[in-house]
Amino acid sequence: MNRKKRILTGDRPTGNLHIGHYVGSLKSRLEFQNEYDTFVLIADVQALTDNFNTPLKVRDNILELLKDYLAVGLDPKKVTFVLQSQIPQIAELTIFFSNLVSVARLMRNPTVKNELYDKKDLFKHSIPYGFLGYPVSQAADISIFNADLVPVGDDQAPHIEQTIEIVKKFNSVYGDTLKVPTLKLGTIPRLVGIDGKSKMSKSMNNTINFSDTTQDIKRKIMQMYTDPKRIHSTDPGEVKGNPVFIYHNAFNPNKSEIKDLENRYKKGQVGDIEVKEKLFNAIDAFISPIREKRLELNNKDNYLYDILKEGTLRARDEAQNTMSKVRESMKLLNFN
Ligand code: TRP
C-alpha cells in the first residue's frame, strides 16, 4: 500500500487566529487532513526570533493556537500537532544547513526583507543572526519530517523555494539523503482587513478573531470600510473590491441574499447598515460554534497538552530517524 503523502505546515504562536487565517490556510487544512498525513507545527522557536524579549507571550500562545486549530475542526486523530521547541533535532539540522546557504542569499529573501523593514524599531537597524537565519531553520522543520508538500500562502513561498535549494545542495554535497519538498501555493487570495487595507493582520489591528464576542464582531463590522465614494444610500455603489462584499462572499452561505444585496447596492437601493447587519449575522453564525468550542477547551489544559505531547513524540521519532541518516551522510562520528 502506498503511504499517504505528508504535508507540513505551521504557524508562529504569537496571537489569536482570525478569519483571514481561515480563508488563507485553515480552510484548506480542513480538507488536507482527510487526504494527507498532516503535520502542523507550532513554531515557538521561530516565534522567538522576533519575540525573544517576550518569551511568556510565546509560551502562552501555544495553547491558544492549538485551541484555534481544534475549534475550527482540525482533528487530533488525523493531524500530528508538533511543538517545535521539543524537537531539538531541528536545531541540530539547522546548524548543518547553515553551512549550505550564503548570507547574501538570505538577505535577498523578499519576505525577510519586508519583515526587516517592519521590525526596524525592534531590531534598531541591526539584524540578529537568528532572525536572518529563520528560513534556514524553516528548511530544517520541513525536511526533518520528510514532508512531500508544503501548502502556504504567497508570503511563505520564498522560504519554501529556499528550502528546496538547501535540500538539493545537501543531497549533492553529502549524497542523496533528504526528500526535496514541493511548494503547494494556496489558490485563495489573502483577505482584506476591516479597514480595507490589503491584508488582515494582527499587527494592523484590523482583524476579526475566533475569540471575538458577538459584541466585538458587531462593533467591528459596523465600523467596516465600504465604498468611500458612496455618500448616500441612494448613490450607486461599487461592489467589486468592497470589503463588505468580499466578506459576504467568503462567509455568507446564502448566495441569493448576496446577489440581492449586490444588485441593490449597485443601483443605490440599499443602505450600508442593512448590508452590514446581514454580514454580521453571517459572520456571527460562522464564528459562534468556533467560539463555543474554543470556550469548552478553556478549562482543558491537560487534554490540550496531551494532544500536543502525543503528536510531538511521534514527530520526534521521525526527526531522530532523519538525523541518524543525516549524521551518517555527513560522516559524523557516532559514539553510541
Ligand atoms: N513561517 C511560518 C509563519 O510565519 C511558520 C512556519 C514555521 C512554517 N515553520 C514552518 C510554515 C514550516 C510552513 C512550514 O507563519
Side-chain angles (χ1 to χ4, degrees):
M1 206 179 74
N2 272 343
R3 92 166 170 89
K4 276 190 188 173
K5 283 205 188 283
R6 178 166 299 158
I7 269 195
L8 183 121
T9 61
D11 298 284
R12 301 177 183 193
T14 47
N16 289 333
L17 297 187
H18 51 66
I19 60 172
H21 291 114
Y22 186 82
V23 171
S25 63
L26 296 170
K27 196 173 168 198
S28 47
R29 289 183 198 172
L30 292 175
E31 290 159 22
F32 294 148
Q33 68 178 345
N34 298 314
E35 212 179 314
Y36 296 97
D37 178 15
T38 305
F39 275 47
V40 174
L41 183 75
I42 298 185
D44 57 342
V45 175
Q46 190 179 109
L48 285 166
T49 61
D50 62 344
N51 291 277
F52 52 84
N53 50 4
T54 48
L56 277 179
K57 171 183 150 194
V58 173
R59 182 186 170 137
D60 291 343
N61 275 301
I62 293 169
L63 287 195
E64 293 305 304
L65 183 56
L66 185 59
K67 283 183 218 168
D68 281 331
Y69 289 153
L70 299 182
V72 297
L74 290 179
D75 178 351
K77 290 197 199 72
K78 298 176 185 161
V79 174
T80 303
F81 293 103
V82 186
L83 183 60
Q84 189 183 28
S85 62
Q86 292 300 301
I87 315 279
Q89 292 82 0
I90 295 175
E92 187 186 2
L93 187 57
T94 303
I95 293 281
F96 299 153
F97 277 178
S98 65
N99 295 326
L100 307 175
V101 60
S102 73
V103 174
R105 175 67 182 87
L106 289 168
M107 301 282 285
R108 274 202 304 276
N109 181 312
T111 298
V112 171
K113 264 195 196 165
N114 288 337
E115 288 170 338
L116 280 173
Y117 181 78
D118 293 342
K119 293 175 206 308
K120 54 188 181 328
D121 292 337
L122 174 70
F123 294 157
K124 309 210 171 16
H125 297 280
S126 128
I127 309 168
Y129 167 60
F131 186 83
L132 185 65
Y134 89 73
V136 184
S137 99
Q138 189 156 330
D141 297 338
I142 293 166
S143 45
I144 209 159
F145 300 124
N146 301 299
D148 298 284
L149 295 168
V150 189
V152 287
D154 52 1
D155 63 317
Q156 294 293 306
H159 301 339
I160 314 311
E161 282 154 15
Q162 198 149 27
T163 299
I164 292 170
E165 281 174 35
I166 293 173
V167 170
K168 285 187 172 161
K169 180 106 186 247
F170 186 100
N171 287 343
S172 83
V173 174
Y174 300 111
D176 214 4
T177 313
L178 296 168
K179 175 168 280 159
V180 182
T182 304
L183 165 68
K184 192 175 166 73
L185 258 189
T187 47
I188 321 150
R190 48 175 69 158
L191 193 67
V192 292
I194 55 172
D195 55 358
K197 296 265 166 58
S198 66
K199 189 182 174 191
M200 180 175 281
S201 149
K202 193 170 88 76
S203 59
M204 292 163 91
N205 207 11
N206 63 4
T207 64
I208 296 177
N209 301 330
F210 298 135
S211 55
D212 281 353
T213 62
T214 294
Q215 294 86 312
D216 293 333
I217 296 173
K218 179 127 202 176
R219 178 178 44 81
K220 289 179 180 182
I221 288 178
M222 288 305 165
Q223 285 169 5
M224 263 182 83
Y225 177 102
T226 58
D227 176 355
K229 292 199 282 298
R230 189 170 183 256
I231 319 246
H232 307 288
S233 58
T234 48
D235 296 343
E238 183 70 63
V239 163
K240 202 162 162 267
N242 187 328
V244 283
F245 285 105
I246 295 176
Y247 287 17
H248 262 297
N249 282 294
F251 296 102
N252 188 349
N254 187 345
K255 298 299 165 208
S256 60
E257 178 174 277
I258 305 176
K259 270 272 138 301
D260 168 58
L261 289 173
E262 287 182 342
N263 284 334
R264 288 196 285 136
Y265 198 84
K266 285 185 212 158
K267 294 186 200 144
Q269 293 172 356
V270 64
D272 275 9
I273 304 272
E274 183 182 341
V275 177
K276 287 180 170 179
E277 262 164 8
K278 294 204 158 114
L279 179 61
F280 160 72
N281 290 336
I283 294 201
D284 195 49
F286 169 74
I287 291 186
S288 285
I290 299 176
R291 183 198 307 120
E292 269 162 41
K293 181 101 195 276
R294 236 186 155 280
L295 285 173
E296 274 169 38
L297 294 169
N298 267 348
N299 306 317
K300 301 220 171 111
D301 283 12
N302 288 339
Y303 167 75
L304 296 166
Y305 280 124
D306 282 348
I307 288 174
L308 200 50
K309 190 166 171 191
E310 196 183 311
T312 301
L313 293 183
R314 173 176 176 218
R316 196 188 282 160
D317 267 353
E318 185 91 22
Q320 250 151 5
N321 246 327
T322 306
M323 285 316 289
S324 325
K325 292 186 197 147
V326 162
R327 295 174 137 268
E328 203 178 301
S329 298
M330 293 183 68
K331 315 293 177 216
L332 294 165
L333 282 173
N334 181 358
F335 280 160
N336 293 327

